[in-house]
Amino acid sequence: GQQLNQSPQSMFIQEGEDVSMNCTSSSIFNTWLWYKQEPGEGPVLLIALYKAGELTSNGRLTAQFGITRKDSFLNISASIPSDVGIYFCAGQLLTGGTSYGKLTFGQGTILTVHP
Amino acid sequence: EAQVTQNPRYLITVTGKKLTVTCSQNMNHEYMSWYRQDPGLGLRQIYYSMNVEVTDKGDVPEGYKVSRKEKRNFPLILESPSPNQTSLYFCASGARNEKLFFGSGTQLSVL
């Protein structure tokens, strides 16, 4: 199946620092999604990207859909302690006019923020 | 309150003993899916369903079955569980062009 490589695997940062993580794929997607998972909970969608080159922000979060359709990055600016969690990228290739299909997730980036 | 409900939250069983993990959503979503989460591997899709009576394999369907007889329910069935199916399982649902909602997870241990 499709492979998504997400990096880094983990990050330990000080409060106030900016964070950057990315995902690369061996094949193209037409949707990129970024999720955050907190302990004991399921992932929650942060940002959805639907077009190559698209740059989208959600508060302190910014994500981009790579031009080649094989990569995406997520930036978090001015991190705070509640940013702690596991961040996942996910790619989706829609075919046949459908709106949902097989979703492939990255391995996750574990973020720790020290006050 | 809009939610995806999985049961049980925790389950310990033995090899070969059939089990079912239930998933129910109250948002009238067409799309539902099951994932398993393992350290270092992220979430891997097991099966998904685009609508009632329509199911498709994800990336890791071996050893699992699903059914979608009603829109709200999408149970995951392990006919003969094995230790390599010890994992954290998530059910999710979504409507067309809208975000996925995930359940709180089921931690399964197969001894």
Side-chain angles (χ1 to χ4, degrees):
Chain A
Q2 291 169 319
Q3 298 285 326
L4 275 190
N5 290 313
Q6 184 173 348
S7 64
Q9 286 189 334
S10 60
M11 302 183 76
F12 298 85
I13 62 170
Q14 290 293 129
E15 182 176 1
E17 288 184 21
D18 296 344
V19 171
S20 186
M21 58 192 81
N22 68 82
C23 271
T24 58
S25 169
S26 56
S27 51
I28 63 171
F29 290 112
N30 49 27
T31 303
W32 279 97
L33 307 164
W34 284 92
Y35 287 86
K36 178 187 177 187
Q37 184 182 24
E38 297 189 7
E41 299 296 329
V44 174
L45 183 67
L46 298 173
I47 292 180
L49 303 156
Y50 300 105
K51 212 163 38 170
E54 181 180 354
L55 184 72
T56 296
S57 293
N58 178 6
R60 292 179 295 106
L61 278 59
T62 302
Q64 183 157 32
F65 191 145
I67 291 289
T68 65
R69 296 170 65 192
K70 291 185 179 182
D71 63 318
S72 177
F73 73 74
L74 175 71
N75 286 342
I76 305 173
S77 63
S79 59
I80 58 178
S82 62
D83 289 335
V84 163
I86 306 176
Y87 291 79
F88 291 101
C89 63
Q92 186 169 238
L93 184 63
L94 304 176
T95 58
T98 60
S99 296
Y100 268 111
K102 212 153 76 78
L103 197 60
T104 302
F105 280 81
Q107 303 96 324
T109 296
I110 302 171
L111 179 63
T112 304
V113 180
H114 294 288
Chain B
E1 181 192 348
Q3 58 185 359
V4 178
T5 304
Q6 291 178 233
N7 279 298
R9 192 75 190 263
Y10 302 94
L11 179 59
I12 301 174
T13 189
V14 294
T15 298
K17 187 176 180 183
K18 180 179 178 180
L19 67 91
T20 299
V21 184
T22 63
C23 176
S24 179
Q25 50 97 0
N26 62 1
M27 295 167 278
N28 201 37
H29 287 159
E30 292 174 341
Y31 180 89
M32 296 186 76
S33 183
W34 276 102
Y35 302 85
R36 60 177 289 173
Q37 183 176 10
D38 302 289
L41 296 176
L43 288 101
R44 293 179 292 168
Q45 192 170 38
I46 303 170
Y47 270 94
Y48 64 96
S49 170
M50 300 287 283
N51 214 326
V52 175
E53 302 291 1
V54 179
T55 62
D56 276 299
K57 295 178 181 178
D59 289 314
V60 289
E62 295 78 19
Y64 304 95
K65 281 174 57 177
V66 292
S67 70
R68 188 89 183 275
K69 294 184 170 55
E70 317 161 86
K71 204 171 191 179
R72 63 183 292 124
N73 296 322
F74 190 45
L76 180 69
I77 303 153
L78 285 72
E79 295 271 2
S80 183
S82 61
N84 65 13
Q85 291 177 300
T86 292
S87 187
L88 178 59
Y89 291 86
F90 286 101
C91 178
S93 75
R96 289 178 177 273
N97 297 319
E98 291 181 19
K99 64 181 183 179
L100 280 182
F101 290 83
F102 281 81
S104 297
T106 295
Q107 180 64 58
L108 172 66
S109 295
V110 183
L111 305 176

